Amino acid sequence: MTLTGRSLVSILDFSNEEVLAVLDIAEQMADALGWGDEAETQPVAPLDRILATLFFEPSTRTRMSFESAMLRLGGSIISMADARSSSAAKGESLADTARIVSSYCDIIVTRHPEPGSAQTIAEAASVPVINAGDGHNEHPTQTLTDLFCLRRHKGTLEGLKVGLCGDLKYGRTVHSLAPALARFGCELTFISPPALEMPEEVTEKVQELGAEPRVTDNLAGALDDLDMLYMTRIQQERFADPAEYEKYKGIYVLDRRLMNQAPEDMIVLHPLPRVDEIAPEIDDDPRAVYFEQARGGVPVRMALIALLLGIVEETGISKRSGLAEP
Ligand code: NCD
């Protein structure tokens, strides 16, 4: 098994074993960053590699955590500040852009509104490509970040009971997360209004991987024995008709009352940004781990970049002298 030189377009591009290797290296990266110590960061040796971000859609956490991860590895970043206003606006194809940008860097991170765009970019590029979201299709690095947080709290990814709630139709995070969880043998409950149900092709994928998801629109009724509840935002920007969005916004609000009904060890994750689906009143509930989850985006992306660039081995980070061995 080697991840060197590979791309990550769909979460299923990596086997369970490879996913676990990323998470293990991410744990070592978190140690190298001094998580748990008072001084959070440790200096690293400069790394002669360049990461390019190619973002055709807005992003805060994903882009900044990728940039932070590359800088923490000692590398450099270049980015198309606003890809929508650059050569794409002159009519350049995505494949041409990918070909050119890959001659300027060692690895590309891309986000684009079109499903399948990351695959197009990966096929045209001569360097590894990481999909940071292709429309409503997938968001595999969010899944790695989710699994990192989940495993830290539950000690395993195997056989957990997980509820995915919100906009399962347009939410790309759950399109990557559900298959990943199914492949680890988790029991899934899909919680959404019927109009925002999990797309059939994702449900079929999950079934092929051995899961038989429960489907409901009732959040309160689904809480009883969950290990993890994954809340998502209603994806306003993907509704063709604004009136449709108005119908569903605010449909689920996880508040103190619902948390009182939930199991004592049920953790709550959210890819963020949240709008109104999690009431701030539960932020200080120890089960609410979404901010910690977001923080994990840096060591996870450090691990992924380092593995794809071949600057660490799946067995550990010792190969790279600039990073402290845990
Ligand atoms: C998610 C996304 O972009 O799909 N955000 C993120 O990357 N953390 C979730 C969302 O926008 O709802």
Side-chain angles (χ1 to χ4, degrees):
M1 162 184 93
T2 180
L3 292 172
T4 306
R6 301 247 303 265
S7 288
L8 176 62
V9 172
S10 163
I11 191 65
L12 297 182
D13 292 345
F14 287 8
S15 66
N16 275 2
E17 200 190 3
E18 288 164 343
V19 167
L20 292 172
V22 176
L23 303 190
D24 289 345
I25 300 290
E27 288 293 348
Q28 297 184 31
M29 292 297 180
D31 287 344
L33 288 174
W35 272 30
D37 298 349
E38 243 159 66
E40 270 250 324
T41 53
Q42 294 175 6
V44 293
L47 172 69
D48 182 22
R49 301 292 176 93
I50 296 172
L51 174 142
T53 58
L54 213 53
F55 276 52
F56 297 83
E57 255 193 3
S59 166
T60 309
R61 271 147 298 273
T62 305
R63 178 178 176 150
M64 289 185 75
S65 62
F66 265 112
E67 294 185 350
S68 173
M70 189 57 174
L71 296 173
R72 294 272 194 238
L73 286 169
S76 309
I77 47 176
I78 54 173
S79 52
M80 256 195 205
D82 181 358
R84 285 165 296 181
S85 65
S86 49
S87 49
K90 299 184 190 166
E92 185 173 56
S93 74
L94 208 47
D96 279 4
T97 305
R99 198 166 295 131
I100 302 300
V101 172
S102 62
S103 68
Y104 300 158
C105 66
D106 303 290
I107 188 162
I108 293 175
V109 181
T110 171
R111 169 171 286 189
H112 191 283
E114 198 58 46
S117 52
Q119 184 63 36
T120 305
I121 292 170
E123 281 165 14
S126 53
V127 298
V129 170
I130 301 174
N131 179 10
D134 59 330
H136 57 75
N137 186 41
E138 280 216 44
H139 193 351
T141 68
Q142 181 64 49
T143 295
L144 293 172
T145 304
D146 302 338
L147 298 179
F148 181 69
C149 181
L150 182 59
R151 190 178 70 160
R152 286 191 134 222
H153 281 273
K154 297 292 170 190
T156 179
L157 297 174
E158 307 274 344
L160 298 171
K161 296 194 172 78
V162 173
L164 306 177
C165 176
D167 186 347
L168 306 184
K169 179 177 180 189
Y170 296 119
R172 57 190 166 202
T173 61
V174 291
H175 300 166
S176 293
L177 181 58
L181 291 170
R183 210 173 46 175
F184 279 109
C186 292
E187 283 177 40
L188 303 179
T189 304
F190 295 161
I191 309 153
S192 74
L196 299 180
E197 261 175 18
M198 191 65 95
E200 223 168 88
E201 66 269 19
V202 180
T203 301
E204 278 166 17
K205 208 186 284 181
V206 157
Q207 286 167 332
E208 279 163 26
L209 292 164
E212 202 39 74
R214 273 198 294 165
V215 176
T216 176
D217 62 357
N218 180 359
L219 173 58
L223 290 174
D224 33 326
D225 60 350
L226 294 182
D227 297 302
M228 189 260 269
L229 174 64
Y230 194 86
M231 294 297 293
T232 65
R233 170 177 76 85
I234 308 293
Q235 306 279 299
Q236 177 174 14
E237 68 277 25
R238 305 208 193 281
F239 282 77
D241 176 2
E244 273 295 287
Y245 169 70
E246 290 300 318
K247 264 202 247 167
Y248 297 110
K249 84 171 195 221
I251 189 160
Y252 297 114
V253 180
L254 186 67
D255 56 10
R256 201 169 277 149
R257 186 184 55 87
L258 279 172
M259 285 304 281
N260 287 341
Q261 294 175 39
E264 262 171 35
D265 58 354
M266 183 199 81
I267 55 171
V268 180
L269 275 71
H270 189 305
L272 303 178
R274 74 171 151 189
V275 182
D276 49 14
E277 58 281 354
I278 296 183
E281 66 184 17
I282 72 156
D283 288 353
D284 54 7
D285 188 311
R287 294 170 291 178
V289 299
Y290 28 87
F291 294 122
E292 178 198 324
Q293 175 193 357
R295 180 174 179 241
V298 173
V300 167
R301 291 180 170 110
M302 285 173 77
L304 179 65
I305 294 166
L307 284 162
L308 300 184
L309 287 178
I311 59 170
V312 301
E313 285 163 347
E314 282 77 0
T315 46
I317 66 174
S318 57
K319 187 176 157 196
R320 169 133 163 71
S321 55
L323 287 165
E325 269 190 76

